[in-house]
Amino acid sequence: METRGSRRPLLLSAAVLLVLAALAAVLTLAVRGSDERPSAAGAAAGAPAGRSGPTGPAPVDLAALVDGYTAGFTPGGPYTAPDAGQRRAIADGVLGALDGQAEQAGRSLARVGYRLTEFTEAATGRRVAEIADGTDAEGRGWGRVYLDLSARTGWSVQVPHPVSDARTEALGVDLFRAAPGGVLVLAGAHRRAGADGASDVAHRADTVFAAVVEALTGRGLPGIQVHGFDEGSLPGQDAVVSSGAGQPGPAAELTATRRGTPGEAPRPAWGVRWGPSGGTTNVEGRFAAGLGVPWLHVELGNGLRTEPARRAAVAGVLAQTARGWAAGQG
C-alpha cells in the first residue's frame, strides 16, 4: 500500500520524463529541418555564376545601362569643366580599382562625389566595376568608366562623342563585351554641350575623360577610340583606321585589313585614309604617341554604327586587335 510520502517521488519522476520527451521531440524536428534545408555554402555553390540568387542582385544589362545614361545628351546640355584636383581624384580612383584597391579607390572617388560599385554583366556573366557620379550632379558631364574584373586588364575602348557620333556608345559596349580584360571610358556629355568646345573631350586635355585615358595609357594600356563620320565626306569609304599622331604600327594595319570570320555578314569594308580623319589632333592619341603606347583612331560611317549586325561585326574585328594586345602582341 502506497503512502502519501512514497507517491511524491513517482510524480516528480513522471514530470521529468515528460519534460525530457518534449525536449527530444523538439531536437528531432530541429535536426530534420536542418537536413531538409541546404546550407548557405551549398546553395551558393549550386547557383550559376553571375545569376541572381534569393538575396543576390540581378545581372545588369550594360547596353541598357549606357543607353539610359546617354539618352539625355544634347547639344547645349549641361556641362561643368572639372578642375585639376577633380580630374586627378577620378583618375586615381580608376587606377585604384584597376589595382584591386577598392577601399582606396572609393576614398579618392568620394572626394568628388563619385562612387565605385560592382555588378554582374547580363550578356557575359562577367563581374564589372562601374565608376560613376554618385551625386545629384550628373549634369556635370564628367562621364563613366567600366572595368572588366574577370580578366587581367589589357586594353581600353574610348567613346569621346556618345550620341553626337551616333551609336558609338553602343559600339563601345559591344567591343567591351567582345574581348575580356577591357576598360570602357565613356564621355559624360554631348560634344557640343559645353561652351567653346569645353566638352569635346577628344580635343581638350582638361577633362575627366582625358585624365582617365592618360592614366590608363601611363600604365601602358593600348586603346581604341571610336568615332563616326558622314560617308559623304569620304566617298567610297565607310571606315578609316589610323594610329593618330603615332607611327603606323601592326595593329592599325591588321585592323584595317581584317574582314571578320567566315560567315559573318555583312562584313565591314575597311578603308585606310590618313589626314584629318586620322585623329592626328586627338589629345589622347598624342599622349599615347608620346609614350609609344599603341593607340587606334577608328572612324566609322553611319551604317557600321547604327545597324546592329554590322556594328557587331565591327566589334568582332576590333576585338581581335584587343585580344592581341592583351596577349602582348603589339
Side-chain angles (χ1 to χ4, degrees):
M1 178 175 173
E2 292 181 0
T3 65
R4 211 172 192 183
S6 65
R7 190 181 298 122
R8 184 175 301 151
L10 291 175
L11 290 174
L12 288 174
S13 298
V16 169
L17 289 173
L18 286 173
V19 170
L20 291 175
L23 287 173
V26 169
L27 289 172
T28 300
L29 288 173
V31 170
R32 285 178 180 174
S34 65
D35 289 340
E36 292 169 0
R37 289 191 302 271
S39 67
R51 296 293 184 265
S52 175
T55 59
V60 174
D61 182 343
L62 182 59
L65 185 66
V66 168
D67 281 349
Y69 174 58
T70 60
F73 290 7
T74 58
Y79 179 76
T80 302
D83 62 33
Q86 292 166 328
R87 299 194 300 269
R88 187 71 261 161
I90 296 172
D92 286 346
V94 171
L95 293 181
L98 199 69
D99 294 336
Q101 303 294 327
E103 186 175 344
Q104 175 185 323
R107 286 197 300 268
S108 181
L109 295 168
R111 290 200 296 269
V112 292
Y114 261 59
R115 53 164 172 71
L116 171 66
T117 56
E118 294 183 15
F119 60 86
T120 298
E121 205 285 307
T124 61
R126 299 174 188 156
R127 291 297 296 171
V128 171
E130 178 189 69
I131 293 172
D133 201 326
T135 70
D136 293 331
E138 283 276 13
R140 292 187 291 188
W142 294 350
R144 293 183 178 183
V145 180
Y146 295 93
L147 296 88
D148 180 2
L149 302 177
S150 71
R152 181 179 178 181
T153 307
W155 61 281
S156 74
V157 53
Q158 306 156 18
V159 185
H161 299 146
V163 179
S164 173
D165 289 354
R167 302 308 284 156
T168 50
E169 66 276 10
L171 175 60
V173 172
D174 287 350
L175 177 51
F176 180 78
R177 286 170 164 173
V183 181
L184 169 59
V185 187
L186 181 67
H190 193 283
R191 69 182 299 179
R192 296 187 179 86
D196 301 320
S199 62
D200 184 357
V201 299
H203 299 100
R204 295 288 295 250
D206 57 349
T207 66
V208 167
F209 184 94
V212 169
V213 171
E214 289 178 5
L216 297 173
T217 306
R219 290 288 185 89
L221 292 186
I224 299 175
Q225 192 168 115
V226 293
H227 294 259
F229 72 95
D230 180 359
E231 290 94 332
S233 63
L234 289 173
Q237 304 292 333
D238 57 6
V240 179
V241 180
S242 85
S243 299
Q247 293 295 317
E253 182 179 351
L254 288 172
T255 304
T257 56
R258 283 174 177 145
R259 295 291 185 272
T261 58
E264 280 186 332
R267 298 177 185 177
W270 298 100
V272 179
R273 186 77 61 87
W274 310 106
S277 294
T280 55
T281 61
N282 186 287
V283 297
E284 291 82 29
R286 286 179 175 273
F287 187 83
L291 296 180
V293 175
W295 184 87
L296 289 184
H297 186 274
V298 180
E299 291 266 6
L300 299 166
N302 187 69
L304 291 180
R305 291 176 279 116
T306 61
E307 298 174 26
R310 300 184 74 193
R311 186 174 66 237
V314 171
V317 170
L318 297 177
Q320 293 181 59
T321 298
R323 289 193 194 96
W325 282 337
Q329 302 166 8

